[in-house]
Amino acid sequence: MGSTTADRTVIGHSAADKALLFGGLPLAGLVLGFFLPRIADWAEGREWVPFQGPLRLIAAWDSWWVAVICVAVGLVGGVLLAGMALDDTLKVTITGQSVEFLKNQTTVTVPRVKVAVAFLDGKEIVLQDVSSKELAREKHDQFTSESPKIAAAFRAHGYPWSEAGDPHASEFRRWVEADPDLSPAANALLRARSKAFDQGDKGKADLRELRGELAGLGYSVKDKDKKQYWRATG
């Protein structure tokens, strides 16, 4: 679960995880690249195998440098995949002064003085202020067995931790189109978020940005199975 020193705890990929990523994925790419010409020879003409065009092209080149190029591409591809996996993993740095969330080159810093309670909501780390407004809601990548270590890390740095989860969980209700209990602006934002679910990874930035706009209107929102649940704050 990352590392811990006297003044800070880091939750994220450990040194062993990084070694596995940057050792295992490039090695897998290298092996795949080495055998790709042989795979192409075998797969050529078997119509049920996808990517027939590129496979025919590779199979047509019967030379030692083809294998060298495939190995190089596989190695570089493995390194790039490892970097993408590391970048897409949430890194949380906890100190007595603040909590910092880093993911996909985006950093969110929450000062300790603003945090009234911290807890886990499923696999999301949530911080709330005294008015129950969410200061952060970030999905972590640790196994469920690591959850007690996450709680211990926050407690160790003096953050109030709710073992029971969200103190306001019972206030959430599922959003439906044109909910009469919401303002037109809030309904419009939730409608836009609903459409962003269908965009996959491309929609993640919109989901985050629209959640922030809803927070500015006085609402907290959480997602489950592409369904939205909201509650008023403050």
Side-chain angles (χ1 to χ4, degrees), residues 193-204:
R193 291 188 88 252
S194 180
K195 293 178 181 178
F197 283 121
D198 298 328
Q199 298 175 11
D201 289 341
K202 293 181 180 180
K204 288 182 179 179

Side-chain angles (χ1 to χ4, degrees), residues 167-184:
H168 303 276
S170 62
E171 299 171 20
F172 279 95
R173 48 192 288 186
R174 182 177 171 181
W175 176 72
V176 294
E177 183 73 30
D179 191 319
D181 293 326
L182 288 167
S183 67

Side-chain angles (χ1 to χ4, degrees), residues 29-41 57-59 61-75:
L30 186 151
V31 171
L32 178 61
F34 179 79
F35 286 105
L36 187 57
R38 296 170 177 79
I39 295 172
D41 285 336
L57 187 61
I58 294 172
W61 292 338
D62 186 15
S63 182
W64 62 269
W65 54 265
V66 176
V68 172
I69 292 175
C70 289
V71 166
V73 170
L75 184 63

Side-chain angles (χ1 to χ4, degrees), residues 125-178:
I125 299 173
V126 185
L127 307 180
Q128 291 178 355
D129 66 10
V130 292
S131 69
S132 83
K133 178 182 177 181
E134 289 184 0
L135 304 169
R137 177 181 283 270
E138 301 288 345
K139 185 177 180 180
H140 71 87
D141 302 275
Q142 302 297 316
F143 293 109
T144 304
S145 59
E146 297 290 305
S147 297
K149 296 181 181 179
I150 295 174
F154 276 91
R155 288 196 184 102
H157 294 283
Y159 291 82
W161 182 265
S162 172
E163 195 64 45
D166 189 350
H168 303 276
S170 62
E171 299 171 20
F172 279 95
R173 48 192 288 186
R174 182 177 171 181
W175 176 72
V176 294
E177 183 73 30

Side-chain angles (χ1 to χ4, degrees), residues 96-126:
Q97 291 72 47
S98 66
V99 182
E100 180 184 279
F101 300 93
L102 172 62
K103 187 172 185 178
N104 294 325
Q105 301 181 19
T106 298
T107 301
V108 176
T109 302
V110 181
R112 165 66 184 88
V113 294
K114 291 187 177 181
V115 180
V117 64
F119 56 89
L120 283 175
D121 187 0
K123 295 201 70 174
E124 294 178 322
I125 299 173
V126 185

